[in-house]
Amino acid sequence: MRRTTRAATVGAAAAALLLGGSAVASATIGKASPGSASAGTTSVTGRSSAGTSSAGTSAAGAAAARPCGVDDVSFYFGGMTAGTGHRSFDLTLLAHDGISCTLKDTPLITVAGPPDQTKPIPLTVNGRGGTLILRPDSPLHATVAYSIPDTPEDKLEVSSLTLAMPDLTSRGTYFGVPGVNDIYSGGISITSWTTGLGLGEGEEAF
């Protein structure tokens, strides 16, 4: 694991997002963006030729891209919040230069506590069943959320997070911040991967 500042990379990705809106719009495969037909132009099926072309382009991009591996991407934590009873942070993926790869929109994330903790940590990972294409100009992010315990009896401890990729490679790191985190025994919720940057600047990169 290496620790580097990602502000420059994130800034470049954000600028690329502003310039490459079409890449973001076509990130979800199988759901082409509606085409805006010119006046009086329709196809036999009632859909514009522009929409049909967009669907074909997205399908071609999905076919050309291979499944992502951990060596294809960097990921970093950002957007950490600490409310009265709730905590959250964002996990953002950035593809390396020249990489285009696919992954499901359900993050492949697992968590673990200290070795002496035998009680399992409830984990909910959300997804919509789609496939996304990760490119250097189209990062993905998910939000990890949990509550803090009210009493010692409600407490579980989390100390590590492992991110896996579709090609079955994986990489482990700490859970948001180094050390042991106390969480409510109700567990952790993780959103689906969403195209775009997460909140805040990147603190750590892996």
Side-chain angles (χ1 to χ4, degrees), residues 66-149:
R66 58 180 173 76
C68 295
V70 292
D71 290 336
D72 298 325
V73 304
S74 293
F75 63 96
Y76 70 87
F77 299 122
M80 297 181 183
T81 65
T84 303
H86 301 281
R87 303 284 187 272
S88 70
F89 59 88
D90 283 350
L91 180 65
T92 296
L93 290 183
L94 289 172
H96 295 166
D97 289 347
I99 295 294
S100 179
C101 60
T102 64
L103 71 167
K104 296 295 184 182
D105 64 13
T106 304
L108 302 176
I109 293 175
T110 56
V111 297
D116 60 350
Q117 179 175 270
T118 58
K119 189 175 180 179
I121 302 168
L123 180 66
T124 301
V125 184
N126 297 286
R128 302 177 298 277
T131 299
L132 304 173
I133 298 181
L134 180 64
R135 303 183 182 91
D137 64 346
S138 184
L140 301 173
H141 82 274
T143 298
V144 180
Y146 57 97
S147 297
I148 59 175

Side-chain angles (χ1 to χ4, degrees), residues 3 6 28 31 78 87 103 106 123 129 139 163 168 184 195 205:
R3 183 170 299 185
R6 298 295 295 181
T28 301
K31 295 183 180 179
R87 303 284 187 272
L103 71 167
T106 304
L123 180 66
L163 173 65
L168 304 182
Y184 173 62
T195 304

Side-chain angles (χ1 to χ4, degrees), residues 119-198:
K119 189 175 180 179
I121 302 168
L123 180 66
T124 301
V125 184
N126 297 286
R128 302 177 298 277
T131 299
L132 304 173
I133 298 181
L134 180 64
R135 303 183 182 91
D137 64 346
S138 184
L140 301 173
H141 82 274
T143 298
V144 180
Y146 57 97
S147 297
I148 59 175
D150 294 323
T151 66
E153 291 74 21
D154 293 330
K155 184 182 76 172
L156 284 175
E157 295 180 331
V158 184
S159 55
S160 66
L161 176 152
T162 299
L163 173 65
M165 288 285 117
D167 71 347
L168 304 182
T169 57
S170 62
R171 187 172 299 156
T173 182
Y174 46 75
F175 182 77
V177 294
V180 176
N181 296 267
D182 293 343
I183 69 165
Y184 173 62
S185 58
I188 297 163
S189 176
I190 302 175
T191 67
S192 57
W193 289 121
T194 301
T195 304
L197 294 171

